[in-house]
Amino acid sequence: MKRLNIGMIGGGFMAKAHSMAYASVPMFFWPTEIIPYRKTVVEVNEELAKNAAERFGFENYSTDWRTLLDDPEIDVIDIVTPNHLHAEMAIAAAKAGKHIISEKPLGRNAKETEKMLKAVKEAGVKHMVAFNYRKTPAIALAKKFIEEGKIGKILNFRGTYLQDWSADPESPLSWRFNKEKAGSGALGDIGTHVIDLARYLVSDISEVMALSKTYIKERPISSGPLDNLGTVKSENTEMGTVDVDDEISTLVRFDSGAIGSIEATRNAWGRNNFITFEIHGEEGSIYFNYERRDELQVCFANDSAEEKGFRTIYTGPAHPNGEFLWPIPALGIGYSETKIIEVNDFIQAIANDTECEPSFEDGHRIALISDAILESAEKDEWVKIEG
Ligand code: NAI
Ligand code: SOE
């Protein structure tokens, strides 16, 4: 059995999710030829790095991510830092010949992601961008139904990602509200997940017409580097400027001829992780809501008139990836399971020399679409996506 040594950069929220997935993957996806090993974690200072190593089960820690590049024992670099660091780290990792999994959005804009894509292609390393929601079994089931033609030709995709953790003006000004660090606001942070789902389930997007709004223009400056997503108030009274979008709302045209809409906001009171899509096809419809992620709702046009209507399928062992998870439908798929499936897909692509999905190619396309959304909102006109 091959051991794959992981070097992780960052010790916050996503470090927890990725570390848990590395630890759990063989418990679910078994038998396997490859096992990830948590070798070295990097944080910005000694205390945070040591803490991350002890907490997340890494053998070593470092306060300088570049030490991973020269370490011949490291096979994979896992980037779980704020967005402005992804490009520099991924390009250096590719040049050092390391396989890379990077959190989303791949970069702050398409200029960055283009360079990242070029670097991984030139180096011939495996590359994955962590749009994990597409790994949810109910979403993979939606994809299977669409590919089997169960809802016919797709006419419309309506997607949302709504949260409320930044609706409170006291929610601190973390890196997520800073253009230099985040690239954009709700768009890059959560809208990109819906763009990924739209491309995965329907087709690539060719044109957008968007609105964007920043409602809360100043917030108390965050007290530390970690973004606690509004759960910890800032100790600072000093205010800082929000220079990213709080909300985007966009119409989209797909390459396939379908049309649709994508909305993202972190200021929607009462919505937590409200990732939804409703897809209408010529022969049926599909509805999904991540807050009820064990369920996929479907309606097929050829059901009898008496039976026609949405019905609920609870995902379980009969569905994509389900045989590796839990033995009974509706036992409970969580965020962790999406990350375990993601890590399994990544390490199996390394073991079998196949392509990762979604890859940096997808991350770059999503960055092009995101840039077009911002441009459209600014110019108040339709913008075509390059390429
Ligand atoms: P976080 O704020 O919880 O943690 C980021 C950590 O990176 C902090 O502990 C910080 O000290 C560390 N860091 C900053 N610069 C560093 C450096 N030079 N070297 C080493 N460590 C450094 O952020 P979070 O929520 O973990 O986000 C990280 C990335 O993951 C972001 O790109 C974000 O968009 C993405 N993300 C993806 C999610 C998903 O569902 N796929 C969920 C949450 C975040
Ligand atoms: C905050 O909006 C956040 O942590 C995002 O950064 C993630 O991508 C999302 O999946 C959960 O919410």
Side-chain angles (χ1 to χ4, degrees), residues 223-243:
S223 342
L226 204 71
D227 184 356
N228 291 301
L229 301 167
T231 55
V232 180
K233 294 260 185 282
S234 177
E235 287 158 18
N236 292 325
T237 46
E238 200 190 332
M239 303 293 277
T241 306
V242 174
D243 58 358

Side-chain angles (χ1 to χ4, degrees), residues 9-14 42-44 80-83 85-86 89 103-105 130 132-133 175-176 189 193 225-227 335 339:
I9 319 178
F13 174 18
M14 275 309 96
V42 185
E43 254 294 347
V44 287
V80 282
T81 55
N83 308 345
L85 298 166
H86 296 181
M89 289 171 173
E103 262 305 338
K104 46 51 60 179
N132 52 303
Y133 292 110
W175 61 263
R176 279 185 173 81
D189 193 29
H193 283 295
L226 204 71
D227 184 356
Y335 185 75
K339 285 293 183 190

Side-chain angles (χ1 to χ4, degrees), residues 8 12 38 48 57 59 84 108-109 127 131 161 190 198 207 221 230 233 272 353 369:
M8 181 177 285
R38 283 158 287 154
L48 287 175
E59 186 184 310
H84 65 299
R108 287 171 295 183
N109 50 53
H127 44 98
F131 285 112
Y161 198 149
I190 55 176
E207 210 174 349
I221 294 171
K233 294 260 185 282
N272 298 292
D353 193 17
I369 295 163

